[in-house]
Amino acid sequence: MDVDLQNIVPGCTEVDEADLATDWHLLLAYMKKRHTEKIEGSKSLAQSWRMKDRMKTVSVALVLCLNVGVDPPDVVKTTPCARLECWIDPLSMSPQKALETIGANVQKQYENWQPRARYKQSLDPTVDEVKKLCTSLRRNAKEERVLFHYNGHGVPRPTVNGEIWVFNKNYTQYIPLSIYDLQTWMGSPSIFVYDCSNAGIIVKSFKQFALQREQELEVAAINPNHPLAQMPLPPSMKNCIQLAACEANELLPMNPDLPADLFTSCLTTPIKIALRWFCMQKSATLVPGVTLDLIEKIPGRLNDRRTPLGELNWIFTAITDTIAWNVLPRDLFQKLFRQDLLVASLFRNFLLAERIMRSYNCTPVSSPRLPPTYMHAMWQAWDLAVDICLSQLPTIIEEGTAFRHSPFFAEQLTAFQVWLTMGVENRNPPEQLPIVLQVLLSQVHRLRALDLLGRFLDLGPWAVSLALSVGIFPYVLKLLQSSARELRPLLVFIWAKILAVDSAEHRTMTAFILAVIVNSYNIGQEACLQGNLIAICLEQLNDPHPLLRQWVAICLGRIWQNFDAARWCGVRDSAHEKLYSLLTDAVPEVRCSAVFALGTFVGNSAERTDHSTTIDHNVAMMLAQLINDGSPIVRKELVVALSHLVVQYESNFCTVALQFMEEEKNYPLPSPASITEAGCLTPVRDAPSTPRLRSVSSYGNIRAATTARNLNKSLQNLSLSEETGGSITFSPGNLSTSSSASSTLGSPDNDEYILSFETIDKMRRVSSYSSLNSLIGKFGLQHLLQSSQGVSFNSVYTQIWRVLLHLAADPFPEVSDLAMKVLNNIAYKATVNARPQRILDTSSLTQSAPASPTNKGTHIHQVGGSPPTPSASSSSLTNGVTKPSVRETSSNRPANVGNIAIQYTPHSHQFSRTRKMFDRGPDQTADDGDDGVTHRNFISATLQTGFCDWSAKYFAQPVMKMPEEHDSESQVRKEREWRFLRNALVRKLSHRIVQKGVTRLDDQILINRNPGVPSVVRFHPYSPYIAVADKDSICFWDWEKAEKLDYFHNGNPRYTRITAMEYLNGHDCSLLLSATDDGAIRVWKNFADLEKNPEMVTAWQGLSDMLPTTRGAGMVVDWEQETGLLMTSGDVRIIRIWDTDREMKVQDIPTGADSCVTSLSCDSQRSLIAAGLGDGSVRVYDRRMAPSECRVMTYREHNAWVVKAYLQKGQDGNIVSVSVNGDVCFFDPRMPESVKTLQLVKGLTALDIHPRASLFACGSMNQFIAVYNSNGDLISNIKYYDGFMGQRIGAISCLAFHPYLPHLAVGSNDYYMSIYSAEKRVR
């Protein structure tokens, strides 16, 4: 939606640049390809991608010590002297303005090389300012590189003790700053640039201090009792790079024709200084008419190769790259010129600095030290290129003649061609190889360059290695996308040569190609097995590159898919155990590929032995631990992997299915939805009757658009008895004749579910899946695997059935669909075709041997025809299915396990009693021998996720195309710039209002009747939207225009309710997160979008084992955009932290209380979490500490339910908490008692605290809203709707402040949602 920026802040569109920059550096959650595109293979032209830099310089500290107008005491300057700093004369303006202008200019000069870094200036700083700057940049950069640029032209020279100089606060003294301290603050990896006299001293001191740190590390490692071992370990300085302007005994040049910061000019504006220097040489007289003034007018842009300036820049890049590649050792070249874009640019420009500054008796220094390059022959080629360009300049500028392009690249290709014609292997490599890489960018010379490159690669693997070391790989990969037919034969030839060499960088591509070769191709599988591929792949499983780990696992999964010889080879190499480590990988795609590989590992249809069955069981129990993985692609692959196991041990699962269905029938479970709670007066509504529900996108297959699950009519009728507490009579005769809307699977010939979603969900809750969680959590996985035969057979099948029941109720519909298919396959087999006398057999599965999956026509009685009856010898997992009361089941108490005898009724009475277990149904006759195969093919053909095909799209896409968000002219970039400007203006307006103060807040700016009773309201932080959730749907309003924008179903089951909402990426591409009281989290996009339907981006079980209560907090969440962490809690005894980037749980913090968590608030700067609890306590946790120690403070000053606990942001932020009794406490997290208390109105049902304006808003069951300021003064009391015939407002169900503006949204039980604001003139 377009919003006029002038309307946000009338008459003001100027914002603070620093504030504007904050949005650019915030993380974006759920915006990766797995979230933004469908998981399927290529169908048309694929999307673009780029190779990820191995390292990035993400933060830059610009420290300028100039003290304009005051010369340092130890440097005697000449008259006249070099004065320009960043091409500005500091004496041409006031000292302060000069300092700020120079700071801005040096930042702009660096931004030309790395526009996306975070820049921070520190102008004439103190020691504390430098420390604060460096530590904050390191904290934000994490493991990435930080640059420290130091200009010391206004302070004394560095000392031999390893100190540089800064200032005191009053600028009356120079203060030394130790390089040792600077190392500590900056950490590693870092790059340092020193532009000052005697700069080489700093480099030497830096190395000495780094060596000292390494020795300290070694001492601490050897002797744990040494005092050093008790102190925080100093960061290693191995990955630090330094660039210094001169040697330890040299002064900077003072030539008045040069800039004072000559070194900085060379590093950041190389073409400008190179041309000026060229004109100052005697040889410049050979180019008549060219003056310093004229070269300022050279036309073109640096990034446009068709213009004179752009062509010179292109040639300069090629020449400096070539010099470096020819002079530097290969590993040093890779580190400095290929690893990091900014570092590569600085080192290319450093070669120029060496050439120019040596001509003034000044020797730049680097660490790592480079060999001398200032006399390299390629500089002559540069001088010639500059000569040719500048000689045209007078006529181009004065007469407008056309620019003649340089013959440089054509001549270099000729030199390369000469080398090839004369070439032999045992001589120096061709100098021109890096230039060939640059020539590939030019259409004019491309065909010739490819031809020469092909001839070079044909010289052998050594030539391929050389070409790859230059960085030719991504260029050739890009050209593979070219439509030019004449290039194709050359490209195919080159590609084959590259793939023939096993370079570490290209093993991923090799793994992909091998995975294609073995994909459903038996000859390829056999060939790769002979080539020892499994062992080779297993060696690569822990490689640091995620894409390689992903493709190695996919390759393994495909080589043993339906190929038993490869599976046994994998068993001998313990392949399944080695793959287990990938199940906890930080990258969801890698976890998914590991699940795929383990799924095909257990999915072979060959004869099973006791040994192989044990392996299958162990793999199954390892996979079961991924049941609550945060990524839906992992859980989808998990269903498919478990379906392979179900096919292998079908008869066992049929028996378990019958047991669960009987238990579900005999133990009715009243639904929490039928319980009406005080304070939650939500009428039980069937979703289909909801007015004007918007359909959601078919991409997500969100069947919940009309109901929680799109069930046929008879099954809906069945579920009604569940609501009223009656038992459900299940029989196959209840099959409906209507067809389900979603793609479902009942039988091979019938597209209907035997088990409805409600039946499966009830079965899941009755059977208490939590017992598996409790057992895994309490005893560890090994407890489940400690049988002489592996896991007890029945135990494994029962647990996997429970896992599938849990996945069938998954909040992500695609996961749920797949699990429903698997369950209904077994239900069909077990129920429709079972022989009653076999069902009534009393033998126990626990005592039986495993079934061979290939015994065609196996009768169920051969493997134990009835569900198990408990026996004394059974393991704890086989003592029958647990059936605790719903309220007794908890995450920290093992469910009750009892001996329960189960009576069975023959529900297959309408079928012939003489039929076999696995034949095809009452109307078909077939030979039993074919049936297992038919079913197996059917289920495997039906269940697939498309993950592997989607992964393969990566290799089909263009390589070097700049991502749209990096292209400053792209629409995506412009939209982001607009959004960030809007955000900054909203923050500016907020700041203005807060400074002015809010004296009243009762101007009703919106009132509308919501489709459902509002339960949660959330303002968008920057757009004029508000989300209003009722029990199971979300409505969006434009509060400026009073328009309803959207209304869609959230997809949660009918017995659950939405209890929390958050905006993710509110500053950019907003997503909406909803949390329900069953612990499920769903994330939506395209809400409030008139052109697109809402889509579910992801969903997962944020909390398992939520404790059902009649009046609980449900689920509460708090979102940290800076770190991408989501805090979750509620009716549980833990606070669970999810990392949305890794899509996995990173921490469980025990609350240490026996009551629910009612409110969460976190502060990323201090790593603190404040939680309000139902018992009135407020607890503070430090998430950096161990779980047993992380509760750092408990306040017990409230004696009733805490409605809200809010942790103010920043180092000095207090905790503000309010209970239902209206007592407000202000806590300093460092103090054991409150620092201030207030008393508001009693009997609160809802409360919110404005994060900026220090306001409290209270809602009451007594039908009024009270707004207080931070002193406890009542500023507004709202009891009636404006202009609505003075109607009394309803009992307040929820309320929320706008994060920035003085707006208050209120939802009440009479369905109305209203918004109140401060005085109209403030808006």
Side-chain angles (χ1 to χ4, degrees), residues 1243-1269:
L1244 304 184
T1245 57
L1247 178 133
D1248 198 19
I1249 302 168
H1250 199 291
R1252 285 164 182 81
S1254 298
L1255 298 174
F1256 302 92
C1258 313
S1260 169
M1261 284 295 290
N1262 299 325
Q1263 298 175 273
F1264 69 86
I1265 305 155
V1267 183
Y1268 298 85
N1269 63 18

PDB file of all heavy atoms in Angstrom, residues 1243-1269:
ATOM      1  N   GLY A1243      -8.909  -5.498  38.895  1.00  0.00           N
ATOM      2  CA  GLY A1243      -9.733  -6.347  38.032  1.00  0.00           C
ATOM      3  C   GLY A1243      -9.401  -6.217  36.560  1.00  0.00           C
ATOM      4  O   GLY A1243     -10.289  -6.091  35.714  1.00  0.00           O
ATOM      5  N   LEU A1244      -8.112  -6.239  36.233  1.00  0.00           N
ATOM      6  CA  LEU A1244      -7.695  -6.059  34.839  1.00  0.00           C
ATOM      7  C   LEU A1244      -7.930  -7.337  34.030  1.00  0.00           C
ATOM      8  O   LEU A1244      -7.689  -8.437  34.505  1.00  0.00           O
ATOM      9  CB  LEU A1244      -6.203  -5.708  34.774  1.00  0.00           C
ATOM     10  CG  LEU A1244      -5.733  -4.484  35.569  1.00  0.00           C
ATOM     11  CD1 LEU A1244      -4.263  -4.247  35.302  1.00  0.00           C
ATOM     12  CD2 LEU A1244      -6.538  -3.262  35.178  1.00  0.00           C
ATOM     13  N   THR A1245      -8.379  -7.169  32.802  1.00  0.00           N
ATOM     14  CA  THR A1245      -8.426  -8.303  31.864  1.00  0.00           C
ATOM     15  C   THR A1245      -7.368  -8.148  30.781  1.00  0.00           C
ATOM     16  O   THR A1245      -6.998  -9.109  30.135  1.00  0.00           O
ATOM     17  CB  THR A1245      -9.810  -8.402  31.189  1.00  0.00           C
ATOM     18  OG1 THR A1245     -10.077  -7.151  30.532  1.00  0.00           O
ATOM     19  CG2 THR A1245     -10.895  -8.690  32.206  1.00  0.00           C
ATOM     20  N   ALA A1246      -6.916  -6.917  30.574  1.00  0.00           N
ATOM     21  CA  ALA A1246      -5.898  -6.686  29.540  1.00  0.00           C
ATOM     22  C   ALA A1246      -5.118  -5.438  29.913  1.00  0.00           C
ATOM     23  O   ALA A1246      -5.647  -4.540  30.577  1.00  0.00           O
ATOM     24  CB  ALA A1246      -6.558  -6.501  28.172  1.00  0.00           C
ATOM     25  N   LEU A1247      -3.856  -5.409  29.511  1.00  0.00           N
ATOM     26  CA  LEU A1247      -3.020  -4.247  29.806  1.00  0.00           C
ATOM     27  C   LEU A1247      -1.892  -4.173  28.793  1.00  0.00           C
ATOM     28  O   LEU A1247      -1.402  -5.201  28.326  1.00  0.00           O
ATOM     29  CB  LEU A1247      -2.426  -4.361  31.217  1.00  0.00           C
ATOM     30  CG  LEU A1247      -1.484  -3.200  31.617  1.00  0.00           C
ATOM     31  CD1 LEU A1247      -1.837  -2.701  33.000  1.00  0.00           C
ATOM     32  CD2 LEU A1247      -0.029  -3.634  31.559  1.00  0.00           C
ATOM     33  N   ASP A1248      -1.499  -2.946  28.465  1.00  0.00           N
ATOM     34  CA  ASP A1248      -0.306  -2.789  27.638  1.00  0.00           C
ATOM     35  C   ASP A1248       0.460  -1.561  28.107  1.00  0.00           C
ATOM     36  O   ASP A1248      -0.094  -0.658  28.739  1.00  0.00           O
ATOM     37  CB  ASP A1248      -0.659  -2.656  26.152  1.00  0.00           C
ATOM     38  CG  ASP A1248       0.552  -2.941  25.256  1.00  0.00           C
ATOM     39  OD1 ASP A1248       1.514  -3.580  25.746  1.00  0.00           O
ATOM     40  OD2 ASP A1248       0.543  -2.532  24.080  1.00  0.00           O
ATOM     41  N   ILE A1249       1.760  -1.560  27.828  1.00  0.00           N
ATOM     42  CA  ILE A1249       2.662  -0.473  28.209  1.00  0.00           C
ATOM     43  C   ILE A1249       3.253   0.087  26.926  1.00  0.00           C
ATOM     44  O   ILE A1249       3.774  -0.670  26.096  1.00  0.00           O
ATOM     45  CB  ILE A1249       3.784  -1.003  29.129  1.00  0.00           C
ATOM     46  CG1 ILE A1249       3.189  -1.647  30.384  1.00  0.00           C
ATOM     47  CG2 ILE A1249       4.759   0.109  29.479  1.00  0.00           C
ATOM     48  CD1 ILE A1249       4.188  -2.446  31.200  1.00  0.00           C
ATOM     49  N   HIS A1250       3.132   1.401  26.749  1.00  0.00           N
ATOM     50  CA  HIS A1250       3.710   1.991  25.540  1.00  0.00           C
ATOM     51  C   HIS A1250       5.232   1.971  25.653  1.00  0.00           C
ATOM     52  O   HIS A1250       5.793   2.449  26.642  1.00  0.00           O
ATOM     53  CB  HIS A1250       3.220   3.423  25.350  1.00  0.00           C
ATOM     54  CG  HIS A1250       3.391   3.924  23.948  1.00  0.00           C
ATOM     55  ND1 HIS A1250       4.631   4.177  23.395  1.00  0.00           N
ATOM     56  CD2 HIS A1250       2.490   4.193  22.970  1.00  0.00           C
ATOM     57  CE1 HIS A1250       4.484   4.588  22.149  1.00  0.00           C
ATOM     58  NE2 HIS A1250       3.186   4.612  21.864  1.00  0.00           N
ATOM     59  N   PRO A1251       5.931   1.409  24.652  1.00  0.00           N
ATOM     60  CA  PRO A1251       7.387   1.239  24.782  1.00  0.00           C
ATOM     61  C   PRO A1251       8.160   2.554  24.768  1.00  0.00           C
ATOM     62  O   PRO A1251       9.318   2.589  25.166  1.00  0.00           O
ATOM     63  CB  PRO A1251       7.759   0.375  23.566  1.00  0.00           C
ATOM     64  CG  PRO A1251       6.645   0.548  22.602  1.00  0.00           C
ATOM     65  CD  PRO A1251       5.419   0.827  23.402  1.00  0.00           C
ATOM     66  N   ARG A1252       7.535   3.647  24.333  1.00  0.00           N
ATOM     67  CA  ARG A1252       8.273   4.904  24.251  1.00  0.00           C
ATOM     68  C   ARG A1252       7.641   6.043  25.038  1.00  0.00           C
ATOM     69  O   ARG A1252       8.344   6.917  25.530  1.00  0.00           O
ATOM     70  CB  ARG A1252       8.413   5.318  22.774  1.00  0.00           C
ATOM     71  CG  ARG A1252       9.450   4.475  22.073  1.00  0.00           C
ATOM     72  CD  ARG A1252       9.370   4.542  20.566  1.00  0.00           C
ATOM     73  NE  ARG A1252      10.404   3.654  20.018  1.00  0.00           N
ATOM     74  CZ  ARG A1252      10.266   2.337  19.903  1.00  0.00           C
ATOM     75  NH1 ARG A1252       9.146   1.748  20.284  1.00  0.00           N
ATOM     76  NH2 ARG A1252      11.249   1.585  19.415  1.00  0.00           N
ATOM     77  N   ALA A1253       6.336   6.074  25.162  1.00  0.00           N
ATOM     78  CA  ALA A1253       5.663   7.237  25.751  1.00  0.00           C
ATOM     79  C   ALA A1253       5.365   7.086  27.232  1.00  0.00           C
ATOM     80  O   ALA A1253       4.706   7.941  27.811  1.00  0.00           O
ATOM     81  CB  ALA A1253       4.369   7.511  24.988  1.00  0.00           C
ATOM     82  N   SER A1254       5.799   5.985  27.880  1.00  0.00           N
ATOM     83  CA  SER A1254       5.582   5.775  29.319  1.00  0.00           C
ATOM     84  C   SER A1254       4.109   5.894  29.686  1.00  0.00           C
ATOM     85  O   SER A1254       3.724   6.661  30.576  1.00  0.00           O
ATOM     86  CB  SER A1254       6.412   6.784  30.141  1.00  0.00           C
ATOM     87  OG  SER A1254       7.773   6.600  29.896  1.00  0.00           O
ATOM     88  N   LEU A1255       3.272   5.157  28.975  1.00  0.00           N
ATOM     89  CA  LEU A1255       1.834   5.128  29.254  1.00  0.00           C
ATOM     90  C   LEU A1255       1.420   3.704  29.594  1.00  0.00           C
ATOM     91  O   LEU A1255       1.983   2.738  29.079  1.00  0.00           O
ATOM     92  CB  LEU A1255       1.035   5.599  28.028  1.00  0.00           C
ATOM     93  CG  LEU A1255       1.273   7.031  27.539  1.00  0.00           C
ATOM     94  CD1 LEU A1255       0.506   7.265  26.243  1.00  0.00           C
ATOM     95  CD2 LEU A1255       0.850   8.040  28.590  1.00  0.00           C
ATOM     96  N   PHE A1256       0.396   3.580  30.463  1.00  0.00           N
ATOM     97  CA  PHE A1256      -0.226   2.293  30.753  1.00  0.00           C
ATOM     98  C   PHE A1256      -1.673   2.363  30.293  1.00  0.00           C
ATOM     99  O   PHE A1256      -2.358   3.347  30.575  1.00  0.00           O
ATOM    100  CB  PHE A1256      -0.235   1.987  32.265  1.00  0.00           C
ATOM    101  CG  PHE A1256       1.112   1.976  32.899  1.00  0.00           C
ATOM    102  CD1 PHE A1256       1.654   3.115  33.478  1.00  0.00           C
ATOM    103  CD2 PHE A1256       1.859   0.806  32.929  1.00  0.00           C
ATOM    104  CE1 PHE A1256       2.895   3.100  34.069  1.00  0.00           C
ATOM    105  CE2 PHE A1256       3.109   0.779  33.515  1.00  0.00           C
ATOM    106  CZ  PHE A1256       3.634   1.923  34.082  1.00  0.00           C
ATOM    107  N   ALA A1257      -2.135   1.334  29.617  1.00  0.00           N
ATOM    108  CA  ALA A1257      -3.556   1.245  29.274  1.00  0.00           C
ATOM    109  C   ALA A1257      -4.116  -0.018  29.907  1.00  0.00           C
ATOM    110  O   ALA A1257      -3.546  -1.101  29.753  1.00  0.00           O
ATOM    111  CB  ALA A1257      -3.742   1.215  27.761  1.00  0.00           C
ATOM    112  N   CYS A1258      -5.232   0.108  30.634  1.00  0.00           N
ATOM    113  CA  CYS A1258      -5.837  -1.019  31.338  1.00  0.00           C
ATOM    114  C   CYS A1258      -7.233  -1.256  30.802  1.00  0.00           C
ATOM    115  O   CYS A1258      -8.008  -0.313  30.610  1.00  0.00           O
ATOM    116  CB  CYS A1258      -5.940  -0.739  32.840  1.00  0.00           C
ATOM    117  SG  CYS A1258      -4.439  -0.084  33.550  1.00  0.00           S
ATOM    118  N   GLY A1259      -7.566  -2.500  30.595  1.00  0.00           N
ATOM    119  CA  GLY A1259      -8.918  -2.873  30.211  1.00  0.00           C
ATOM    120  C   GLY A1259      -9.549  -3.702  31.306  1.00  0.00           C
ATOM    121  O   GLY A1259      -8.877  -4.520  31.936  1.00  0.00           O
ATOM    122  N   SER A1260     -10.839  -3.526  31.516  1.00  0.00           N
ATOM    123  CA  SER A1260     -11.505  -4.185  32.641  1.00  0.00           C
ATOM    124  C   SER A1260     -12.730  -4.939  32.174  1.00  0.00           C
ATOM    125  O   SER A1260     -13.377  -4.582  31.178  1.00  0.00           O
ATOM    126  CB  SER A1260     -11.895  -3.133  33.678  1.00  0.00           C
ATOM    127  OG  SER A1260     -12.746  -3.677  34.651  1.00  0.00           O
ATOM    128  N   MET A1261     -13.086  -5.991  32.949  1.00  0.00           N
ATOM    129  CA  MET A1261     -14.363  -6.682  32.722  1.00  0.00           C
ATOM    130  C   MET A1261     -15.526  -5.740  32.986  1.00  0.00           C
ATOM    131  O   MET A1261     -16.633  -5.941  32.520  1.00  0.00           O
ATOM    132  CB  MET A1261     -14.472  -7.896  33.659  1.00  0.00           C
ATOM    133  CG  MET A1261     -13.651  -9.096  33.247  1.00  0.00           C
ATOM    134  SD  MET A1261     -14.189  -9.811  31.694  1.00  0.00           S
ATOM    135  CE  MET A1261     -15.777 -10.513  32.181  1.00  0.00           C
ATOM    136  N   ASN A1262     -15.259  -4.676  33.762  1.00  0.00           N
ATOM    137  CA  ASN A1262     -16.320  -3.725  34.119  1.00  0.00           C
ATOM    138  C   ASN A1262     -16.568  -2.687  33.034  1.00  0.00           C
ATOM    139  O   ASN A1262     -17.102  -1.610  33.305  1.00  0.00           O
ATOM    140  CB  ASN A1262     -15.974  -3.032  35.442  1.00  0.00           C
ATOM    141  CG  ASN A1262     -15.860  -4.038  36.569  1.00  0.00           C
ATOM    142  OD1 ASN A1262     -16.592  -5.021  36.599  1.00  0.00           O
ATOM    143  ND2 ASN A1262     -14.911  -3.811  37.475  1.00  0.00           N
ATOM    144  N   GLN A1263     -16.148  -2.996  31.831  1.00  0.00           N
ATOM    145  CA  GLN A1263     -16.485  -2.226  30.641  1.00  0.00           C
ATOM    146  C   GLN A1263     -15.944  -0.790  30.663  1.00  0.00           C
ATOM    147  O   GLN A1263     -16.684   0.157  30.457  1.00  0.00           O
ATOM    148  CB  GLN A1263     -18.002  -2.224  30.418  1.00  0.00           C
ATOM    149  CG  GLN A1263     -18.560  -3.624  30.186  1.00  0.00           C
ATOM    150  CD  GLN A1263     -20.065  -3.599  30.082  1.00  0.00           C
ATOM    151  OE1 GLN A1263     -20.741  -3.669  31.103  1.00  0.00           O
ATOM    152  NE2 GLN A1263     -20.592  -3.485  28.878  1.00  0.00           N
ATOM    153  N   PHE A1264     -14.660  -0.642  30.934  1.00  0.00           N
ATOM    154  CA  PHE A1264     -14.035   0.666  30.758  1.00  0.00           C
ATOM    155  C   PHE A1264     -12.547   0.477  30.483  1.00  0.00           C
ATOM    156  O   PHE A1264     -11.969  -0.568  30.767  1.00  0.00           O
ATOM    157  CB  PHE A1264     -14.265   1.586  31.962  1.00  0.00           C
ATOM    158  CG  PHE A1264     -13.540   1.165  33.213  1.00  0.00           C
ATOM    159  CD1 PHE A1264     -12.224   1.563  33.453  1.00  0.00           C
ATOM    160  CD2 PHE A1264     -14.173   0.370  34.162  1.00  0.00           C
ATOM    161  CE1 PHE A1264     -11.567   1.179  34.601  1.00  0.00           C
ATOM    162  CE2 PHE A1264     -13.512  -0.017  35.307  1.00  0.00           C
ATOM    163  CZ  PHE A1264     -12.207   0.380  35.537  1.00  0.00           C
ATOM    164  N   ILE A1265     -11.940   1.550  29.919  1.00  0.00           N
ATOM    165  CA  ILE A1265     -10.504   1.576  29.636  1.00  0.00           C
ATOM    166  C   ILE A1265      -9.922   2.757  30.392  1.00  0.00           C
ATOM    167  O   ILE A1265     -10.464   3.872  30.325  1.00  0.00           O
ATOM    168  CB  ILE A1265     -10.234   1.769  28.126  1.00  0.00           C
ATOM    169  CG1 ILE A1265     -10.956   0.708  27.298  1.00  0.00           C
ATOM    170  CG2 ILE A1265      -8.734   1.737  27.834  1.00  0.00           C
ATOM    171  CD1 ILE A1265     -11.249   1.163  25.883  1.00  0.00           C
ATOM    172  N   ALA A1266      -8.834   2.507  31.118  1.00  0.00           N
ATOM    173  CA  ALA A1266      -8.157   3.585  31.836  1.00  0.00           C
ATOM    174  C   ALA A1266      -6.741   3.709  31.310  1.00  0.00           C
ATOM    175  O   ALA A1266      -6.059   2.707  31.128  1.00  0.00           O
ATOM    176  CB  ALA A1266      -8.146   3.292  33.342  1.00  0.00           C
ATOM    177  N   VAL A1267      -6.320   4.954  31.046  1.00  0.00           N
ATOM    178  CA  VAL A1267      -4.959   5.215  30.569  1.00  0.00           C
ATOM    179  C   VAL A1267      -4.240   6.066  31.612  1.00  0.00           C
ATOM    180  O   VAL A1267      -4.761   7.109  32.041  1.00  0.00           O
ATOM    181  CB  VAL A1267      -4.960   5.933  29.201  1.00  0.00           C
ATOM    182  CG1 VAL A1267      -3.531   6.114  28.696  1.00  0.00           C
ATOM    183  CG2 VAL A1267      -5.788   5.154  28.180  1.00  0.00           C
ATOM    184  N   TYR A1268      -3.063   5.614  32.041  1.00  0.00           N
ATOM    185  CA  TYR A1268      -2.281   6.296  33.070  1.00  0.00           C
ATOM    186  C   TYR A1268      -0.923   6.683  32.498  1.00  0.00           C
ATOM    187  O   TYR A1268      -0.413   6.030  31.575  1.00  0.00           O
ATOM    188  CB  TYR A1268      -2.036   5.368  34.266  1.00  0.00           C
ATOM    189  CG  TYR A1268      -3.292   4.907  34.980  1.00  0.00           C
ATOM    190  CD1 TYR A1268      -4.002   3.810  34.530  1.00  0.00           C
ATOM    191  CD2 TYR A1268      -3.726   5.564  36.133  1.00  0.00           C
ATOM    192  CE1 TYR A1268      -5.134   3.369  35.187  1.00  0.00           C
ATOM    193  CE2 TYR A1268      -4.865   5.130  36.809  1.00  0.00           C
ATOM    194  CZ  TYR A1268      -5.568   4.026  36.330  1.00  0.00           C
ATOM    195  OH  TYR A1268      -6.689   3.594  36.992  1.00  0.00           O
ATOM    196  N   ASN A1269      -0.322   7.717  33.095  1.00  0.00           N
ATOM    197  CA  ASN A1269       1.069   8.022  32.751  1.00  0.00           C
ATOM    198  C   ASN A1269       1.999   7.303  33.722  1.00  0.00           C
ATOM    199  O   ASN A1269       1.551   6.592  34.623  1.00  0.00           O
ATOM    200  CB  ASN A1269       1.314   9.534  32.718  1.00  0.00           C
ATOM    201  CG  ASN A1269       1.108  10.185  34.076  1.00  0.00           C
ATOM    202  OD1 ASN A1269       1.110   9.505  35.108  1.00  0.00           O
ATOM    203  ND2 ASN A1269       0.909  11.500  34.075  1.00  0.00           N
TER     204      ASN A1269
END
